[in-house]
Structure formats: structure tokens, C-alpha cells
Amino acid sequence: MELGILMERLQNTLVLNDQKLEDIDCKRKELTKSSHEVQEKISAVCAEVQARVSAAGEALKGKTVVEFSKLEKELSSTREEVRGGSLVLCSELEKITELVGRGDEEKFDVDECWGRVKEIISRCQLDESTRKMPSFYHSKTLAKVKTSDLGYLSMAEFLPDQFQLVLTSPVSSLMVASDMNKAICTVTTSQQFTEMIQANIKFSIKNKACKETVPYCKEECKLSEDKKSFQICFLVQRPGVYMLTVLLYDQHVNDSPLVLRVASKDEMVKEEENTTPEDQEQSTTQSVNPGVARQQEPEKDCLVLVSPTITKTTTTSPTTQSMSSQPPPSAVPLRRPVPLTRAVSSPSKPPPTNPISIPPPATLLPPGPLNLSHLSPGGKLSGLRMLSIEEGTKPDSLHKPIGMCLLQNGNIVVASTFEDKVKMFSPTGKFLTLVSSSESPFMRPSDMVTLQSGQFVVRDNNRVQVFSHTGTYLRTLWQD
């Protein structure tokens, strides 16, 4: 290599290095600026939370003042009554003492005196059954505030809500404990498990029934070749409730935690023995005619209301087109669902070609939120009300809803199960309000039922609570 060429290369490299140094200095300035901005955002969130906590504390203090003031007034009133009674009793006692001193006690009318002081004595006696002194018990909601409760710092390209946890095997969430039985769950994404995602994602498996470590199958815990799914495999050797948690930046991915119930062989046998013939008949009926459930293929999530129950179903384009020619929902009467029953053949006769028959109902429907008393036996309601509610975590959306109920005023309450919220909608599907739990937020709310009083009941993983028709908390029926 010639000396001139070497010098030129050295000079060019120095120029490039100078440019890189300038770029690095610019990036360091941007990094410092971004760091300050992120810290200011965190401080703003903390200040907002502190303000809400302070406001809640002041409200609780105000309520404390009101309650203690009521007790103070009651005690003051009782004190005046006791003092007035004491003055009357002193006067009577002085009269008796004076008469006794003169030796004229025989002239004293004891019955008349007792009539005057009897009521005072009974009224002025100290009531031992006074109200309990108000006490403060702190809520468990803020007892253990973690960093993840405030937010998280994203270190990679993708966010926790872009990943989903699903149960791959077994198909159902109930299985039998065995040394060889395995459960397989998969974390899926439409993006990719990049190196930064792999460095910040973590999972844990616990059996609530015991404190022993749940063994992993390391050879089967693996990342797919396209890096769009990660398989988690573990043994279910002991019965109990297994909980699989997957966190990204210490935040739950979609459908985490996932719960799997594992029963012992004896429990499984007992459950099969307790299964009634009606339950077996219903399951057989549903499996005999699978075409009934497949008449509508998924195209758009809808909430379909069929009197007197509400179900979540999917519609196809032909069905949607046929529904569009009908009157609007407010003018469409509800259709009464006719139960499907399985025809039972006699042993001496050959089985019928069509095992499904639709007989008319023999009795009227039981009383409920909807008034169907005007229907005659065998009568039907025609029409269908369809409400379209988007899938998501917005206030007017639902994220994998499970339970729902129809209130007497026509409003619909739906459990946005994997959003841990319960939402109330109008009869036309317009979002009205959030149903607030008593102390802590809902934990996977699911089952619901409407009561004849107009109230409704919500069950989640921890409690069974009663709410008014407006969504106000009333009481807790059961708590874990």
C-alpha cells in the first residue's frame, strides 16, 4: 500500500470518527432529555395517585367527623336527661328526709312518690347497649402497592397487550392428577419474541393447594421457529388449582393468570356419579345435532338477546342481511326459545331417523324479569334483538365477556371478564356506567343473575356481591 493512500484512509477515518462523536453527543443529550421527561411522567402519575388517595382520605375523615358528631349529640342528650332526672330525684329525697326528721314518715304517700320517680329512674339508667364506637380498618387494596401498580417501563418494541396466554392441552380446564399428565400452555403474538422481549418476559406456576414447586418439562418449554409463540409445559402430579402467570415488564399479558383445575381420581369418579340423567340428556342433545351451533360462522362479535336469556353469539353475512330487512330493534318483539329434547325410542321399535324433536312446551315459563304471562301454552315470540358491542378495553367495549344479565328496566349488565370490569348498557347497547365493587376491584367476574327485587348478583373469583339496578354496591353474600 502506498503512503499517500494510507494517509488518505487515516484522514477519512478521523473525519468519520469526528462525525460519530458528534452523533453520540447528540444522542446523549436526547437520552438525558428523554430520561427527564419519563421521570416527570412518573412523578405526575404518583402525584395524581397521591391526590386521589388524599381526597379519599379527606372524604373518610369527613365521614368520621359526621359519625362521631352523631354519637356526641346522643351522649349530650342522654346527659341532659340524666341531669334533669337527678334534680327531680334530689327534690323527692329532700322531702322524704325532712318528713323522717320530723317523725311524720307515716304521712308520706309512697305510691304517689313512686309514680313520679318510676319513669325517671327507668329512663335515667345507663344504657349498656349503646352503639359501638366507630373504628377504622385499612383496605387491602393499597396495603401492598407495587411498582407495576403505577405502570411499567417498556424496554422492547412490543407491549403486554400484544401477547396472549392460551391453554393448549388439555382442551378443557379440568383434568386428573397423575405423575405422567402434562399441561401445555402457549403464549402467542402476532408480532415476535425478540431478544429484548425474551429478556423481559417471565412466567410462574403455582398450585394453591400446596407450597411445593411445580415441575417444568424443560425439553418441551420452547420457542417456535417463527418466534411467534412460546410453549410452556408442566406436570400436574397433585390435585388442586394451578395458576399460570405470564408477565411482561411485570404486567400481565392477555388472559393471565390462567387457572387450571386438577382433580384426583376419586373426585373425578364422584363428579361423574353425581351427574344427573338430565345433565347427560342435555349434553347428548347438544352433541346429537352439532349443526345447530354451526348455523352461524364467526364474522363479527355481537350480543344477541333472546327472551328470556342473553347469549353471546356470532353472525354470518347472510344472517346479517336477513336481519337488516327487519324493523329496528325497538320495534322487534323478542322470540321465545323453544327447548330441544331428544326423542327416546322403545326397545321393541327401530330408532327414529330424526333423533331431535321440538315439542310444544307443556307449562308456562317461570316468573322472571320479563313478563310473559300474556303468552298461551305453546305460544311463541317472534323476532330477535341484536346488539353489536366492540371487542376491546375501551369504556364502551368488552374484552372476552362471559356473564351477563337482563335487568327489569331493560338495561343489560355484562362482565368484561378479562378486563376485570362489569359494565352496564342501555337496551340499545349504549354504554351507561361501570359497576363498582365494594373494596377491591373485580377479579375475573363471570356469573350473573337478576333477582325479582330488581337487584342483580355478580360472582368473581373472590366474592359474590349484590348490586342495585343502578349498579350501586349493596352487600357481599360470600367472600373467599
Side-chain angles (χ1 to χ4, degrees):
M1 179 183 295
E2 297 180 0
L3 181 61
I5 296 176
L6 178 60
M7 291 179 60
E8 183 180 357
R9 288 190 177 183
L10 292 175
Q11 292 174 353
N12 291 337
T13 303
L14 288 173
V15 171
L16 290 176
N17 285 346
D18 290 339
Q19 185 63 40
K20 285 183 178 180
L21 289 173
E22 292 180 3
D23 293 341
I24 291 173
D25 290 338
C26 291
K27 289 182 178 179
R28 290 181 64 187
K29 292 180 180 180
E30 292 179 1
L31 187 65
T32 303
K33 182 180 178 181
S34 298
S35 176
H36 289 310
E37 290 177 353
V38 171
Q39 292 180 37
E40 288 176 358
K41 288 182 180 179
I42 296 174
S43 299
V45 171
C46 292
E48 185 179 350
V49 172
Q50 290 174 359
R52 289 199 296 266
V53 172
S54 298
E58 293 300 325
L60 192 57
K61 289 179 182 178
K63 185 176 180 180
T64 302
V65 171
V66 171
E67 294 300 324
F68 276 91
S69 297
K70 291 179 180 179
L71 287 179
E72 198 276 334
K73 289 180 180 180
E74 291 180 4
L75 291 176
S76 298
S77 176
T78 303
R79 184 182 184 280
E80 290 300 322
E81 291 181 1
V82 172
R83 183 175 177 276
S86 297
L87 293 175
V88 175
L89 293 177
C90 288
S91 176
E92 294 295 331
L93 187 59
E94 288 177 357
K95 292 179 182 179
I96 297 173
T97 304
E98 183 179 353
L99 290 174
V100 171
R102 295 200 307 261
D104 296 335
E105 60 269 16
E106 295 179 356
K107 297 180 181 180
F108 186 76
D109 191 345
V110 177
D111 294 335
E112 183 181 353
C113 179
W114 176 247
R116 291 194 299 268
V117 301
K118 179 181 179 180
E119 182 180 354
I120 297 175
I121 292 175
S122 61
R123 187 177 67 239
C124 293
Q125 286 180 347
L126 182 62
D127 187 6
E128 298 295 338
S129 61
T130 55
R131 286 200 306 174
K132 180 182 178 296
M133 190 71 68
S135 302
F136 173 71
Y137 297 91
H138 67 87
S139 172
K140 296 180 180 178
T141 305
L142 299 177
K144 296 181 180 179
V145 179
K146 299 178 293 185
T147 305
S148 58
D149 295 329
L150 289 177
Y152 62 92
L153 196 62
S154 176
M155 303 297 296
E157 305 91 332
F158 311 122
L159 304 179
D161 58 5
Q162 295 176 292
F163 295 80
Q164 184 171 11
L165 176 62
V166 295
L167 179 64
T168 308
S169 176
V171 178
S172 66
S173 59
L174 175 63
M175 63 184 304
V176 181
S178 172
D179 292 339
M180 301 302 294
N181 279 354
K182 300 177 183 178
I184 300 176
C185 301
T186 307
V187 184
T188 62
T189 180
S190 58
Q191 307 299 329
Q192 272 195 339
F193 281 84
T194 61
E195 292 184 0
M196 288 299 296
I197 291 293
Q198 296 178 47
N200 288 276
I201 197 168
K202 55 186 178 182
F203 64 92
S204 64
I205 305 172
K206 297 180 180 178
N207 184 352
K208 290 186 175 181
C210 62
K211 296 183 179 180
E212 296 181 5
T213 304
V214 179
Y216 297 98
C217 300
K218 294 184 179 180
E219 66 279 359
E220 298 187 43
C221 295
K222 54 188 177 181
L223 185 66
S224 62
E225 294 182 359
D226 58 0
K227 295 186 177 182
K228 290 184 177 293
S229 64
F230 180 77
Q231 178 175 288
I232 304 171
C233 181
F234 58 94
L235 296 175
V236 287
Q237 299 173 335
R238 294 182 177 274
V241 177
Y242 287 74
M243 180 174 291
L244 173 60
T245 303
V246 178
L247 302 176
L248 179 58
Y249 319 124
D250 292 328
Q251 299 289 322
H252 288 279
V253 301
N254 289 331
D255 300 344
S256 172
L258 190 146
V259 177
L260 175 65
R261 181 190 165 202
V262 178
S264 63
K265 293 181 180 180
D266 296 338
E267 291 175 344
M268 208 66 173
V269 171
K270 289 181 181 179
E271 187 167 337
E272 292 176 356
E273 291 176 352
N274 293 333
T275 304
T276 61
E278 289 78 5
D279 296 336
Q280 296 178 352
E281 183 76 16
Q282 183 178 3
S283 61
T284 305
T285 303
Q286 294 174 353
S287 61
V288 167
N289 192 7
V292 174
R294 286 196 292 265
Q295 289 178 357
Q296 298 178 341
E297 295 295 332
E299 180 174 284
K300 181 180 180 182
D301 287 342
C302 299
L303 286 179
V304 179
L305 174 63
V306 183
S307 174
T309 59
I310 305 176
T311 58
K312 183 176 186 295
T313 184
T314 53
T315 60
T316 58
S317 298
T319 307
T320 305
Q321 293 173 359
S322 63
M323 287 296 298
S324 63
S325 62
Q326 296 179 358
S330 58
V332 179
L334 299 176
R335 182 176 61 198
R336 182 182 186 180
V338 181
L340 298 178
T341 58
R342 183 167 177 255
V344 181
S345 60
S346 173
S348 59
K349 297 180 182 180
T353 56
N354 184 11
I356 303 297
S357 62
I358 307 178
T363 59
L364 288 173
L365 293 174
L370 297 178
N371 182 15
L372 303 178
S373 59
H374 61 283
L375 293 178
S376 59
K380 297 181 179 179
L381 289 172
S382 59
L384 194 69
R385 182 191 299 176
M386 182 176 296
L387 305 176
S388 178
I389 299 179
E390 293 183 357
E391 162 70 26
T393 57
K394 297 179 181 178
D396 57 349
S397 303
L398 295 171
H399 184 38
K400 296 188 177 179
I402 293 180
M404 60 183 71
C405 62
L406 176 66
L407 303 183
Q408 293 182 1
N409 58 9
N411 290 340
I412 305 170
V413 183
V414 188
S416 187
T417 304
F418 286 91
E419 194 184 0
D420 292 330
K421 294 180 180 179
V422 176
K423 302 181 180 182
M424 184 179 295
F425 296 86
S426 69
T428 58
K430 180 182 178 181
F431 172 74
L432 297 179
T433 184
L434 278 176
V435 178
S436 299
S437 183
S438 57
E439 297 180 354
S440 58
F442 289 106
M443 176 62 74
R444 296 294 189 261
S446 54
D447 300 333
M448 293 187 184
V449 64
T450 304
L451 306 178
Q452 291 186 355
S453 61
Q455 303 167 355
F456 64 95
V457 182
V458 181
R459 182 191 72 84
D460 64 1
N461 286 354
N462 299 327
R463 292 162 297 178
V464 177
Q465 301 176 84
V466 182
F467 298 87
S468 68
H469 68 283
T470 59
T472 304
Y473 167 79
L474 298 178
R475 62 186 181 275
T476 299
L477 297 179
W478 172 87
Q479 186 168 359
D480 187 5

